[in-house]
Amino acid sequence: MNNSVTNTARLLGAGLRALLVLTLVTGVIYPLVVTGIAQGLFSGRANGSEITADGRVVGSSLIGQSYNLPLKKGQETPDADLKWFQGRPANGLGSNSLNTQYKLILSGATNLSADSKVLIEQVRDAKAAVVKDNSVPGHTVRPSDVPADAVTSSGSGLDPDISPAYAALQVHRVAAKNGLPAAQVDKLVEDHTTGRTLGFIGEPRVNVLELNIALKDLVAQH
């Protein structure tokens, strides 16, 4: 009987020591090592890929944000602030009322099928708005000029990038709204276009937040 109790106590003691060691290794040491490596080698990414402007954090390079005018009385959906480059439509899984800079709080696609009447109407309305908003005196946008990313949301609904084609489509409108030469704004887009990762992964892209920060600086110079 005493031997049985002694063996049980030994087993419990060994199990407790194993629990404490594993807790220390996996719950303390490993997270600290991973965090230290991340902060030392990939500090920007580890801290959320923050983008700063004028000495403060204005967003993340990984999450798209809206550029809208303040809501008018009785208005439910704000109008786009057309002096800025606009990102992709943000039709995701949910929205929030706490941080209105970021419309979506849940990352995910709409899961609407290609023949969904809701999706077809969204695309039709978005294309009409893109054509109307970006047609300025001396420059008319045709429906056939509108790229797919201008009228559809990404799989996450939080895409921070647009295609060079969509950025180029907005050049004349942005230039007109800010009193800038179109050639300067076009150069801005060219300078902020990122090619395929490693030369073959993904598609060329333009980060909207970074582009708008550069646009703000360009406007301040005039």
Side-chain angles (χ1 to χ4, degrees):
M1 186 70 172
N2 290 336
N3 289 337
S4 177
V5 172
T6 301
N7 289 336
T8 300
R10 287 176 179 175
L11 290 174
L12 288 175
L16 181 59
R17 287 193 296 273
L19 175 62
L20 292 174
V21 170
L22 289 174
T23 299
L24 179 64
V25 172
T26 62
V28 179
I29 297 176
Y30 177 74
L32 287 176
V33 170
V34 171
T35 300
I37 292 174
Q39 289 292 338
L41 300 179
F42 313 103
S43 178
R45 294 181 182 180
N47 291 316
S49 299
E50 296 174 338
I51 295 179
T52 59
D54 301 325
R56 63 186 182 91
V57 175
V58 295
S60 168
S61 64
L62 303 177
I63 302 178
Q65 58 181 265
S66 59
Y67 297 88
N68 296 326
L69 295 169
L71 281 171
K72 299 176 183 177
K73 186 176 181 181
Q75 190 180 35
E76 294 184 0
T77 303
D79 295 324
D81 190 344
L82 298 179
K83 71 180 181 180
W84 302 109
F85 283 92
Q86 298 292 316
R88 297 184 68 169
N91 299 318
L93 296 177
S95 59
N96 74 96
S97 58
L98 299 177
N99 185 350
T100 55
Q101 186 178 24
Y102 295 98
K103 177 183 176 182
L104 300 179
I105 196 169
L106 301 177
S107 173
T110 61
N111 292 328
L112 296 174
S113 63
D115 60 352
S116 165
K117 291 183 179 179
V118 174
L119 178 62
I120 292 172
E121 184 177 355
Q122 284 180 354
V123 171
R124 184 186 299 118
D125 292 346
K127 178 174 284 190
V130 169
V131 169
K132 177 179 178 291
D133 291 343
N134 291 281
S135 293
V136 296
H139 179 79
T140 300
V141 174
R142 298 167 298 179
S144 59
D145 297 330
V146 180
D149 64 307
V151 297
T152 57
S153 60
S154 65
S156 69
L158 303 172
D159 199 336
D161 304 319
I162 57 176
S163 66
Y166 186 27
L169 182 145
Q170 302 182 62
V171 163
H172 288 272
R173 182 254 299 163
V174 170
K177 292 291 183 180
N178 290 282
L180 297 170
Q184 283 191 329
V185 180
D186 189 55
K187 183 65 166 53
L188 210 61
V189 171
E190 180 182 342
D191 291 343
H192 286 81
T193 297
T194 302
R196 291 179 172 87
T197 303
L198 299 178
F200 66 94
I201 300 175
E203 296 293 331
R205 59 201 179 274
V206 181
N207 186 281
V208 181
L209 176 55
E210 293 176 350
L211 180 60
N212 278 332
I213 291 173
L215 172 64
K216 181 181 178 182
D217 293 339
L218 181 61
V219 171
Q221 296 172 15
H222 286 72

